[in-house]
Amino acid sequence: DGAMWSRRSVNGPDGVRTWDRAVRVLDLRRCGFGADAGLEIEEGSVAPNPVLHQVQAMQWSASGRRLLVLMACHFTTASHVFPMHQWMVWDPPATWLEDHGGDSSEEEKDEEEMNSDEIGVITRGRWHVPSKVFVQDCLPIFEQYSQTHSLWNPDEDCVCYPVSGGVFGAATTADGGDQIEMARFPRLTAKCRREGHARDVRQVGEHMAMPFVHTTALQAVVVCEGSFCVWSPC
């Protein structure tokens, strides 16, 4: 329905584990991610316009406290439509990670009344084109793939992923082939927005939605040539 949702397991009134209500993490129709991509198809051309966002893959970190998400955005120009991808990390609000025994009462609060534990953080990586091997062999089975292969490092602050070399800002390898990039997604609290590290709070007071701020990851670095990668578990 054009949004990314999440729900948690909580203790019900009778002490039996049950599912809490679903809450919206991100409205894909209104997020606007990609408008600031700065892509340029040809020198001097008009920047392409993002028109459709889709979540193509997700993987929780081993601790279950950080969610890695692969977003695809379809951009349009005067002559064609093309997709770009972006890895991003969702750090849920600290209060949401706690077990409140199934009490899902909602109190709407103004942004000024919220503390940092009630606001999530979405950290976005750079736009890129994944390697053909990843798109064709991994994405179609990513739900099974992610059960045995992790893109997270053991410290849960870096991810690695394969990209097509020489496309939209990616470095060009000697033979123009694919390469492995590593991006660092440091843990940020909502307090960082007061220090200029994140943007204004979104989804405040919206029904069944969790407020969040969003920021950008540190610059990705090229590790080596290659079209497939996973982290070792230790």
Side-chain angles (χ1 to χ4, degrees):
D1 60 352
M4 185 172 72
W5 297 77
S6 185
R7 61 192 310 182
R8 59 181 182 171
S9 174
V10 298
N11 286 324
D14 54 0
V16 177
R17 299 296 290 182
T18 184
W19 289 106
D20 200 359
R21 65 176 181 178
V23 290
R24 189 176 72 244
V25 175
L26 179 65
D27 190 334
L28 300 175
R29 297 165 298 185
R30 296 189 299 154
C31 67
F33 293 172
D36 56 353
L39 303 177
E40 189 176 53
I41 307 301
E42 298 176 355
E43 185 175 355
S45 64
V46 177
N49 182 42
V51 294
L52 177 65
H53 297 79
Q54 297 174 316
V55 171
Q56 293 204 321
M58 295 184 290
Q59 185 178 50
W60 283 101
S61 64
S63 68
R65 304 186 69 88
R66 312 193 78 193
L67 179 64
L68 179 64
V69 179
L70 179 62
M71 173 182 287
C73 179
H74 296 267
F75 291 85
T76 62
T77 67
S79 58
H80 65 287
V81 179
F82 63 95
M84 295 287 287
H85 292 70
Q86 182 182 65
W87 288 104
M88 60 186 189
V89 172
W90 175 50
D91 289 300
T95 53
W96 188 81
L97 290 171
E98 299 171 358
D99 191 341
H100 296 287
D103 180 11
S104 59
S105 61
E106 178 178 358
E107 296 181 3
E108 292 188 1
K109 298 183 179 182
D110 295 331
E111 178 183 340
E112 296 301 323
E113 298 175 338
M114 286 185 161
N115 61 59
S116 60
D117 290 339
E118 297 173 314
I119 302 173
V121 178
I122 292 179
T123 307
R124 300 161 53 203
R126 78 173 191 88
W127 293 104
H128 66 280
V129 176
S131 69
K132 184 177 295 186
V133 170
F134 184 80
V135 171
Q136 294 181 348
D137 298 340
C138 298
L139 277 185
I141 59 168
F142 197 83
E143 184 174 353
Q144 293 84 6
Y145 169 87
S146 62
Q147 295 179 16
T148 55
H149 299 76
S150 178
L151 301 181
W152 286 102
N153 72 332
D155 291 334
E156 300 183 0
D157 60 0
C158 291
V159 297
C160 62
Y161 53 89
V163 304
S164 293
V167 180
F168 293 109
T172 304
T173 59
D175 59 356
D178 299 335
Q179 59 195 21
I180 305 302
E181 287 190 354
M182 181 184 69
R184 185 165 178 262
F185 291 86
R187 293 174 176 83
L188 297 178
T189 66
K191 292 179 181 179
C192 292
R193 78 182 193 278
R194 300 188 183 95
E195 303 171 0
H197 297 304
R199 309 191 182 175
D200 294 337
V201 181
R202 297 189 178 189
Q203 300 187 159
V204 177
E206 296 184 14
H207 181 58
M208 296 180 69
M210 282 191 288
F212 72 89
V213 294
H214 72 100
T215 185
T216 53
L218 301 180
Q219 180 66 39
V221 297
V222 177
V223 177
C224 62
E225 297 181 13
S227 56
F228 176 83
C229 61
V230 293
W231 280 96
S232 65
C234 60

